[in-house]
Amino acid sequence: MSGFQGMDTGAVEALAGRDAQAAERLEQLLSALAASVDSVDWVGSDAEAFREDFRTLVATPGTRAVQRLHACGRDLRDQVEEQERASQAGGDEGSDGGSDDAESGGLLDGLEGLAGSAMDIGSGIGHGLADGVGDMVSPVLDRISATAPAVSQLIGDGAHLAEELEDVVDGGRMPPLSELASSLALPVASAVGVGWNAATGEDHQFFSDRGAARVSGDDVHVQDGGGAPHSVAALLDDVSGNYSSEGEEIGKVQVKTVVDPDGHERYIVTVPGTEADIGDPSLGWGGQGNSRDWSANVRAMAGQDTAAMQNVRDAMIAAGVEPGADVMMVGHSQGGIINAALASDPSFNGPGGYNVTTLVSEGSPVESFDLPPGTQSLNIAHGGGLSTGVSSGPGGVPVPDGIGVSGDPVPTLDMGGLRADGSGPGSNHQEVVLPGSRDWIVPPSSGAAGGGPSGFDAVFSDHNQNQYTADAYAETKNHSDGALARFENSPDVQRYLDPRNDVRRTTVVDVGR
């Protein structure tokens, strides 16, 4: 048996390809890191020292590694070509092993090139650590480590925006204006996160949307029975009971299994809205365990698949909702956004997924989502805007007096579902606008008609979930022929709200990330 083994040209060619891919990825990462370092608004001696250390410890050895990887790939491909030429020339005459020796030497050279790349990086970082222990290297490495996740996030958000714009330019899917605006906001927010992390050396997770946490048995709470909802207002009341207590790091998703008189099971999935401190830019905008933070609103409106959406998928599986089941989804604010985003996903709502027949939301901007024809959506909003009081002027002539504000602005963030080509939402979207309360931003004079308290309390009150529930009860009671009552009494909705229905079980799932 010969002591030599011929080259596996296919394996060596694959190795050369991996070298090239690794070089390209490393080059992209170095470029992104360099851009983030240069973009930080930071001056002074510390800033210059940081940038110099970045060039010395990261950029230079990294560039050398890229060059070595490219050279190694080229060398490996040259060796493959040489082997193939030798094989063709040798024909059936056999070989004395000299060609194998040459190929083995080429492979060793290639491996030495890879080793040299690794040694260059290690040597550069090692010398940097030795030279700058304590005062200089640790802050540099902290900043690089803190900045890398934000850079990756920025690249992803930029790619998402590019895809949206490409659709517009190529005449493909025409995204809603609110989706475009949200997609544009994400790279800006991620760039802020890059600068913040680089300046402080900490990962603040600003606008971060880490993966959803896996649901375990301890997260699933099952109760036999439960209150059966028989009105839209009762559906909304269920939302209130599933908001987490202040300060909790988890969210909740409720699934009710409803059985009609014929024994057919349907499911009502309830998702609360945002549960985060809007004034905390770290926790409230990406860092907390509850996935329904403020940044998740923007990501879902931009058409991205969020951890909060995955939480709902996981909760439904944990509650035993089988593919093909009839589902109604109910949500407040972000909960409505999550439900509409899921219902517009064919893998969730369609063959192989669920049959989402109905969406009910309150205070949610949902008209921008593309729902299939078999899914009906109702959103309840509080209307209003700017208004004035009235005083008696000279000669008793009525004159405006004061400026008031009312209504919930959140549902208007979908821009009415308007798209870049001028088209609007589908006919299966319906919005019922109820009167909002009014507060004064410029108080009227004493005695003016329509007077009231000053401030913006009415705006916050009009987005409040409990206020929506109370007003929905009043609307159906006082206007039995109104749009809300007609929706409530429609056959598709009554399948879930029929007074003869029973709730077989209520499942509440703790979710987060």
Side-chain angles (χ1 to χ4, degrees):
M1 178 180 292
S2 171
F4 299 102
Q5 181 175 347
M7 175 189 290
D8 183 343
T9 56
V12 176
E13 184 69 32
L15 177 60
R18 288 196 294 272
D19 282 352
Q21 291 175 355
E24 290 173 2
R25 291 180 61 185
L26 179 57
E27 192 169 21
Q28 290 171 356
L29 178 59
L30 289 169
S31 177
L33 284 172
S36 66
V37 168
D38 292 338
S39 67
V40 177
D41 186 13
W42 185 24
V43 297
S45 58
D46 287 344
E48 290 304 317
F50 167 68
R51 293 188 177 98
E52 179 60 30
D53 283 340
F54 174 80
R55 285 189 290 269
T56 303
L57 303 178
V58 179
T60 298
T63 300
R64 189 179 300 118
V66 170
Q67 294 169 347
R68 285 289 187 91
L69 285 168
H70 278 306
C72 182
R74 288 193 299 270
D75 183 60
L76 290 173
R77 287 194 174 92
D78 289 343
Q79 297 297 334
V80 169
E81 292 177 4
E82 185 177 337
Q83 170 66 34
E84 291 175 344
R85 286 194 299 270
S87 297
Q88 292 172 359
D92 295 328
E93 297 176 3
S95 171
D96 63 0
S99 177
D100 288 337
D101 283 336
E103 303 305 340
S104 299
L107 283 174
L108 287 174
D109 290 341
L111 293 174
E112 286 173 1
L114 286 174
S117 299
M119 290 174 64
D120 283 342
I121 296 173
S123 176
I125 294 176
H127 283 113
L129 287 170
D131 294 337
V133 171
D135 293 338
M136 293 302 299
V137 172
S138 291
V140 170
L141 296 180
D142 286 346
R143 284 183 169 86
I144 293 172
S145 176
T147 303
V151 170
S152 177
Q153 177 180 303
L154 174 58
I155 293 171
D157 289 336
H160 177 78
L161 175 61
E163 291 175 1
E164 296 272 298
L165 296 176
E166 185 178 2
D167 282 342
V168 175
V169 172
D170 293 345
R173 173 184 174 270
M174 197 58 60
L177 296 181
S178 58
E179 184 177 318
L180 282 173
S182 300
S183 297
L184 180 61
L186 287 176
V188 175
S190 293
V192 171
V194 169
W196 190 10
N197 290 359
T200 61
E202 298 178 21
D203 183 6
H204 298 280
Q205 299 179 328
F206 186 62
F207 264 74
S208 171
D209 189 46
R210 305 173 309 287
R214 186 182 300 274
V215 172
S216 69
D218 293 338
D219 300 320
V220 182
H221 312 282
V222 182
Q223 169 192 343
D224 291 335
H230 302 310
S231 67
V232 169
L235 292 171
L236 304 185
D237 198 30
D238 258 355
V239 178
S240 178
N242 285 283
Y243 269 95
S244 296
S245 302
E246 186 174 356
E248 281 192 67
E249 277 288 284
I250 59 170
K252 295 183 176 69
V253 174
Q254 176 184 279
V255 181
K256 282 191 173 181
T257 306
V258 178
V259 185
D260 68 16
D262 296 327
H264 183 80
E265 285 190 347
R266 293 181 177 85
Y267 299 88
I268 301 176
V269 179
T270 301
V271 184
T274 304
E275 298 174 293
D277 182 358
I278 194 172
D280 188 333
S282 183
L283 289 178
W285 292 84
Q288 66 178 27
N290 190 329
S291 59
R292 294 194 296 266
D293 63 16
W294 290 99
S295 66
N297 287 279
V298 186
R299 293 197 175 279
M301 290 292 290
Q304 293 190 3
D305 200 319
T306 66
M309 292 167 60
Q310 186 60 44
N311 286 157
V312 176
R313 294 187 186 99
D314 293 342
M316 292 175 66
I317 293 172
V321 184
E322 297 289 342
D326 293 338
V327 176
M328 169 188 279
M329 306 186 78
V330 185
H332 170 234
S333 194
Q334 184 181 168
I337 296 173
I338 292 167
N339 293 343
L342 287 169
S344 63
D345 177 3
S347 68
F348 179 88
N349 182 22
Y354 306 108
N355 179 33
V356 181
T357 64
T358 313
L359 300 177
V360 178
S361 57
E362 47 182 344
S364 302
V366 295
E367 289 188 308
S368 57
F369 291 95
D370 298 318
L371 300 178
T375 302
Q376 297 296 314
S377 171
L378 172 79
N379 182 62
I380 303 173
H382 279 128
L386 295 176
S387 59
T388 65
V390 179
S391 295
S392 179
V397 177
V399 294
D401 190 356
I403 301 176
V405 62
S406 62
D408 179 4
V410 174
T412 67
L413 296 176
D414 58 17
M415 302 182 189
L418 185 65
R419 298 176 181 275
D421 61 358
S423 61
S427 59
N428 49 349
H429 280 282
Q430 181 181 358
E431 188 160 274
V432 174
V433 181
L434 305 180
S437 53
R438 178 170 65 178
D439 281 342
W440 295 99
I441 52 179
V442 177
S445 58
S446 177
S454 300
F456 286 88
D457 288 345
V459 174
F460 296 104
S461 173
D462 281 345
H463 188 63
N464 181 273
Q465 194 278 324
N466 292 322
Q467 187 65 50
Y468 270 115
T469 302
D471 289 349
Y473 272 119
E475 172 66 15
T476 51
K477 178 180 178 182
N478 298 329
H479 302 93
S480 59
D481 59 346
L484 184 56
R486 291 196 301 272
F487 175 86
E488 182 174 289
N489 293 321
S490 65
D492 286 343
V493 176
Q494 277 299 304
R495 292 188 178 96
Y496 298 89
L497 303 182
D498 191 321
R500 298 171 298 170
N501 289 350
D502 288 323
V503 173
R504 178 164 292 168
R505 62 184 174 274
T506 299
T507 306
V508 176
V509 183
D510 297 334
V511 295
R513 56 190 176 193

